[in-house]
Amino acid sequence: TDAGGMGIAYSVGKFDGILGLAFDEIAVCGDPNDGGYVESCVPTPFTRLHETGVIDEAKFAFYLGGLRPCFPECMDGYAGELTLGGIDEDHYVGDLTWVPVSKPAYWQITIDSFGVDGADYSTSDTKEAIVDSGTSMLVGPPDAVDQIADALGARKMAATGEYVVSCKKDLPDIEISIGGLPYTISADDLVLADGPICILLMLGMDLTPEGIGWILGDVFMRKYYTVFDMENEQVGFAVATNSSDY
């Protein structure tokens, strides 16, 4: 199969496409060189698993392993897990908090704020976020991410666009408010050590043409066990058992 129409990476890579876990509405089929892609034309594999009774519940959940700098000796029992058709209560503490999906395409939700030290860097145009295991970092509007990085004492590398900060620096938490509840991301979850310098796991990207302000990627999902409930169009969060808050 030829997935080259999806971009240069698919033209030169050794894979055929993306097996996504979002809603059927953004599934595509067809040939980009022969009439173009057709949207919402085929049920996703996850939908088919549920429809055919392979799984009992239209839910799946992610428990992501940590970023410990001692691979491989300390990875025993620290690997991640994807659960299809339900949840694994061994991987979170407390109760799940459910947040409604605001648009069933990607796993899109509405946030209240995205802040550092009491300052909110979201605007009326950037209150929508998608929860996405395929994105490694926290992603937000370029200007907002620049301001957040500055508030965290990080500097931007001109060559790569990455933000770096001293690993010895005491960073304030990022606080994301969703449904009136705070979700904090501490320094332990927000940086990746690269020698004496730490890479800030944030990226600026303008997604507002798609109606999206932020992507809550693996940085967020590593801290919070995340359940995607397709049948009820909601996402559930709880503190993961590998979180620094556990």
Side-chain angles (χ1 to χ4, degrees):
T1 54
D2 178 13
M6 296 178 69
I8 185 63
Y10 295 88
S11 297
V12 300
K14 302 298 184 182
F15 44 87
D16 299 323
I18 295 174
L19 193 160
L21 288 167
F23 290 85
D24 290 354
E25 282 80 354
I26 59 172
V28 296
C29 55
D31 186 341
N33 300 312
D34 184 18
Y37 284 126
V38 178
E39 297 182 357
S40 193
C41 60
V42 61
T44 63
F46 185 77
T47 294
R48 291 288 294 148
L49 286 173
H50 185 238
E51 288 178 343
T52 57
V54 175
I55 57 175
D56 293 330
E57 296 183 282
K59 294 178 182 175
F60 59 93
F62 278 91
Y63 170 76
L64 299 184
L67 292 174
R68 292 188 178 183
C70 56
F71 180 86
E73 61 268 21
C74 70
M75 294 303 292
D76 224 13
Y78 212 66
E81 178 184 275
L82 166 62
T83 303
L84 298 174
I87 61 177
D88 188 338
E89 295 180 354
D90 290 338
H91 287 320
Y92 66 92
V93 294
D95 297 322
L96 287 162
T97 297
W98 294 100
V99 179
V101 168
S102 56
K103 180 181 179 182
Y106 296 102
W107 288 93
Q108 185 170 325
I109 62 174
T110 302
I111 67 169
D112 306 317
S113 61
F114 196 111
V116 178
D117 279 342
D120 180 12
Y121 295 95
S122 68
T123 67
S124 59
D125 294 326
T126 60
K127 296 294 188 184
E128 293 297 296
I130 61 174
V131 188
D132 181 32
S133 63
T135 301
S136 300
M137 300 185 176
L138 291 175
V139 177
D143 288 347
V145 174
D146 280 344
Q147 294 172 40
I148 292 169
D150 186 60
L152 295 172
R155 60 187 177 88
K156 192 173 186 177
M157 304 293 288
T160 64
E162 293 177 324
Y163 300 90
V164 296
V165 64
S166 170
C167 294
K168 296 181 180 180
K169 187 172 180 61
D170 185 18
L171 300 180
D173 293 343
I174 284 180
E175 186 173 290
I176 306 164
S177 177
I178 305 171
L181 297 176
Y183 294 81
T184 60
I185 307 294
S186 65
D188 288 342
D189 304 302
L190 191 58
V191 297
L192 180 64
D194 184 15
I197 296 296
C198 278
I199 299 171
L200 186 67
L201 297 176
M202 293 197 71
L203 176 69
M205 185 182 300
D206 183 13
L207 300 171
T208 52
E210 306 295 325
I212 297 165
W214 309 85
I215 301 178
L216 307 182
D218 295 345
V219 171
F220 182 88
M221 292 177 60
R222 188 170 288 112
K223 172 76 176 286
Y224 296 100
Y225 185 79
T226 304
V227 182
F228 299 89
D229 181 350
M230 189 167 285
E231 184 173 0
N232 297 300
E233 297 187 358
Q234 59 184 356
V235 184
F237 302 118
V239 174
T241 52
N242 68 355
S243 166
S244 56
D245 285 355
Y246 172 60

